[in-house]
Amino acid sequence: MPLSRLNAEQRSAATAPSGYNLIIASAGTGKTSTIVARIAHLLNHGTQPSKILLLTFTNKAAAEMLERVGVFFDKSITSQIESGTFHAVSYRLLKKLGRNIVLKQPKDLKILLKSIHDRRRFDHIDSSVKAYSAAYLYDLFSLYQNSTVTQSFTEWLESNDSEHGLFFDIYEDIFEEFQALKREFGYVDFNDLLILMRDTLKTTDTLSFDEVLIDEYQDTNTLQGSLIDAFHSKSLFCVGDYDQSIYAFNGANIDIIGSFATRYPNANVFTLNKNYRSSHKILSLANRVIEKNPRLYEKRLEVTRDGTFEAPKLLIYDELFSQYQAISTLIKHSMHAPADIAVIFRNNSTADGIEATLREQGIACKRKGGISFFDSAEVKAMLDLVGVVVNPKDMMAFIHSFEYARGVGSSLSKELFDGLFKLGNGNIYQGFFNPRDDVEDIFKKRAKNHQLGLFDDIIDLGSVSRFYNFGFEELFLSNPILKHPKLTTDGAKFLHQFYKFMKHATRIKTPQSLINHVLSSEVFSAIAEVLAIKRTIKKDGTIDEKLKAEARARIFRKGHLLKDLASGYASSERFLNALTLGSNEMSEGEGVNLLSIHASKGLEFKEVYVIDLMDGRFPNRKLMQKGGSLEEERRLFYVATTRAKDMLILSYAKYDKIKKISYTHSPFLVEAGMVH
DNA sequence: GGAACGTCTCTTTTT
DNA sequence: GAGACGTTCC
């Protein structure tokens, strides 16, 4: 049983009575083992597996924990445990309650917000500050949603940034329209998922858990905290370490862990002090730095590992790339297996440089969430085509698909969507195949409203006779959408291909056969053609047909890969949403791990390189001006260094020849005693 | 005049 | 690789 392997501290935490339990688990003190043992303890003492809820920071972490529980219990038991990220769990539970959800990536919703933002005018307001861009506003709103559950957006803005007071009415109006539009299209973003879950819990009592376990509790934000409370569980098992709280930018509130003992009645606080991960010298380096931060709970870390290990090293280089090259060479000659080695950095931009030099020297590496399979244009295009079928009012998926139509830009594709949307009473499929005939004003738009910065006008209709003699289907030719005056022949041809794709797609049940249908469709063939040309066109405009054919073949190969990935899913909707919830957790291939500090959370490696330790880049001074704190950056340094088990190598470069910037060492190196 | 399309700069961290 | 900006096209 997992309990027998625990030390006394861990065991008393894992066997704590039902109630509000907080476990302070410093880096490397075996918190995963403790959670695994806790679940085993609950199961042994009669808790129904379906009454256990395990919330983790990544779905992978949850899966690994359950796998470890699965060593001692049958899979039929562990599979009943509800587990995953806040978002994945919320999605699954909402689905169980019959909610229809179209989960969208923030990037997509930013574009949607931008289209609303673009129609607002700010220039009539006399202000010394410039209004926020749509993308920034989206992030700001997201931070607001994660940071408070009591204030309105304007109230929150007022307490954070009153300089923009003149724009608050417009911002508020933009989001009013944004939320209405999301409702109309059925879109839900990551935050909506949690808010929807929380509000649903208020009206239903069919979902209840005997114990909720929360990993990485220090990174819980106010919204997530309110969701935890909405479960009304009589027992909580929260595991975290305030020194590893690194998600303030996402509203993570260190007070949530700090005030645990006073917020919950009869709370118990356990502390795990024995470190099993790092060598003595690595640990004392990390501790020297983190001790500069205020202590929320007393901690006394004990080293348990015996043996002789190398002391942490600091390597200094003259130039950024010579640093990357030297580190790559060190890795090449390392005695450790590539999978046991990690290169960790503050900013993702570092990854490009180090990846290039590693490749140069023939060393395989993997990047979490990097430019992966799902980021490629062809995969996105396939998923967008699937998206329109799954949700025939998905404007974003429609617009993205039409990016590849010649003669159709962002504004025309939006108007085509609007037209079909109206013709089909809110359903593109109906708009294509069963359009209303009483619509005189399908292209008429919103009335003018200069007060809120809205401006729009009405356009005249074009003639359909433009499109005779192209072999279009009769029914298609009779569709009023072809009266759009801006529609060109190329545009109409693409629209026709899209129409034919849609015609046979809606009856297809499994995502696998739907992707098959995409691959054999004319639309996707046209999209693949555009992409293949774009990838093989030379500077003088000529195209090598052979190279183009190869590019096309690569695109379709990815299509078959996607088809295989979809095979495990019963519905296309679930497949799409699962990708949004967890696609960036899949990392391809084997090799040395390249990780941002945030992505390295919870992981450990024998040999760790923390690179680009220059003042300005780490701590990131730019961010600190925008509300980041030195304490948070210090916690990041602590997280990075405590990933190391046997070897820790720190490095920095004095000069960046591309950006022409000179650097000095990070102040954390001084605090660590590596620079005097 | 407006939209489509091409070129240039900048890049925090995540579900 | 995406967004801002400028150029070309209708």
Side-chain angles (χ1 to χ4, degrees), chain A residues 81-116:
Chain A
I81 296 172
E82 192 61 61
S83 76
T85 60
F86 281 90
H87 299 90
V89 164
S90 297
Y91 172 71
R92 220 174 302 124
L93 294 179
L94 287 165
K95 205 68 218 168
K96 215 184 212 170
L97 295 169
R99 290 295 196 109
N100 258 342
I101 291 162
V102 182
L103 190 56
K104 281 278 149 189
Q105 297 278 11
K107 205 197 281 165
D108 265 346
L109 291 172
K110 275 184 189 174
I111 299 170
L112 184 66
L113 188 70
K114 188 169 186 294
S115 73
I116 299 166

Side-chain angles (χ1 to χ4, degrees), chain A residues 447-484:
Chain A
K448 293 181 185 189
N449 182 341
H450 281 293
Q451 253 171 349
L452 287 172
L454 285 168
F455 62 100
D456 257 331
D457 40 25
I458 298 160
I459 46 184
D460 298 319
L461 298 184
S463 153
V464 183
S465 59
R466 296 173 287 171
F467 305 123
Y468 292 162
N469 308 321
F470 289 112
F472 291 161
E473 288 177 23
E474 278 305 308
L475 192 65
F476 179 67
L477 270 176
S478 67
N479 196 304
I481 195 69
L482 290 177
K483 289 183 185 161
H484 195 292

Side-chain angles (χ1 to χ4, degrees), chain A residues 46-67:
Chain A
T47 305
Q48 292 297 312
S50 60
K51 291 286 179 185
I52 298 173
L53 172 59
L54 169 64
L55 295 167
T56 54
F57 219 74
T58 64
N59 293 306
K60 203 174 150 202
E64 278 166 12
M65 286 180 198
L66 289 189
E67 197 172 316

Side-chain angles (χ1 to χ4, degrees), chain A residues 62 78 82 221 296 372 421 500 502 553 566 631 633:
Chain A
T78 55
E82 192 61 61
N221 62 39
L296 261 71
S372 71
F421 191 73
K500 286 192 282 184
M502 285 293 281
E631 279 83 32
E633 297 286 317

